[in-house]
Amino acid sequence: MTRVLVLNGPNLRRLGTREPEVYGADTFEDLSALCRETGRRLDLQVEVRQTDDEAEMIRWVHQAADERLPVVLNPAAFTHYSYALRDALAQRTAPLVEVHISNPAAREEFRHTSVVAGVATGTIAGFGLMSYVLALQAVAELVAEGRAAG
Ligand code: DQA
């Protein structure tokens, strides 16, 4: 079974209490359960992680590159400024789908730039937690097509 890492950046563990008018009422535990359940349906072994620490996120991205693991990534605020994360992601050896719960393009101007998008296979944004379901579906399709690097 293909293993997939679902990586989440800063503040995402606070889903449910964090700006619910933007990110909804579901918690990070709800998100993790949804991803694992979607994985079971798609025959993917999904592992969900969250960190507020850029260095830890970069270590996980290196692990994914070394082990050829597909990644669904919500870089959260790192999206908009972390060249270090982008450089780590550029080393990827499997599909990478960038996801966002909200639609950053419809929000403040600083959210309109993603320094990650250019090294991702593609981006899914604005569908709430469903963004992750769609991203995992995309990973399952890419794996089925045998697109190693996406
Ligand atoms: C986010 C959007 C980012 O702009 C923000 O910094 C986040 C969450 C989203 O999922 O909508 O933390 O990535």
Side-chain angles (χ1 to χ4, degrees):
M1 201 190 290
T2 303
R3 211 173 140 210
V4 181
L5 299 186
V6 177
L7 305 181
N8 294 278
N11 297 302
L12 288 168
R13 196 169 288 276
R14 296 184 58 77
L15 283 177
T17 49
R18 174 194 184 194
E19 298 179 87
E21 65 288 358
V22 178
Y23 298 110
D26 290 324
T27 64
F28 182 71
E29 279 317 308
D30 295 330
L31 170 64
S32 303
L34 176 66
C35 289
R36 286 194 299 268
E37 182 191 308
T38 303
R40 278 193 292 277
R41 185 165 56 77
L42 296 169
D43 241 5
L44 300 172
Q45 188 189 325
V46 170
E47 195 177 316
V48 184
R49 302 181 190 172
Q50 188 276 332
T51 184
D52 294 329
D53 179 354
E54 190 179 21
E56 183 166 40
M57 177 64 86
I58 288 169
R59 279 194 294 275
W60 290 344
V61 169
H62 291 165
Q63 181 202 352
D66 289 345
E67 298 181 23
R68 303 194 171 278
L69 302 177
V71 172
V72 170
L73 172 67
N74 186 341
F78 294 152
T79 309
H80 313 300
Y81 66 86
S82 178
Y83 297 120
L85 179 59
R86 181 200 161 101
D87 284 351
L89 293 165
Q91 302 168 48
R92 71 184 173 82
T93 52
L96 165 67
V97 183
E98 177 187 356
V99 296
H100 299 282
I101 297 166
S102 67
N103 178 1
R107 299 180 62 196
E108 303 96 316
E109 196 149 348
F110 75 90
R111 296 185 204 276
H112 297 183
T113 299
S114 168
V115 301
V116 165
V119 293
T121 312
T123 302
I124 298 171
F127 296 94
L129 297 194
M130 202 211 305
S131 292
Y132 289 76
V133 174
L134 298 172
L136 286 165
Q137 282 171 358
V139 167
E141 295 282 343
L142 293 167
V143 167
E145 282 174 18
R147 282 174 57 178

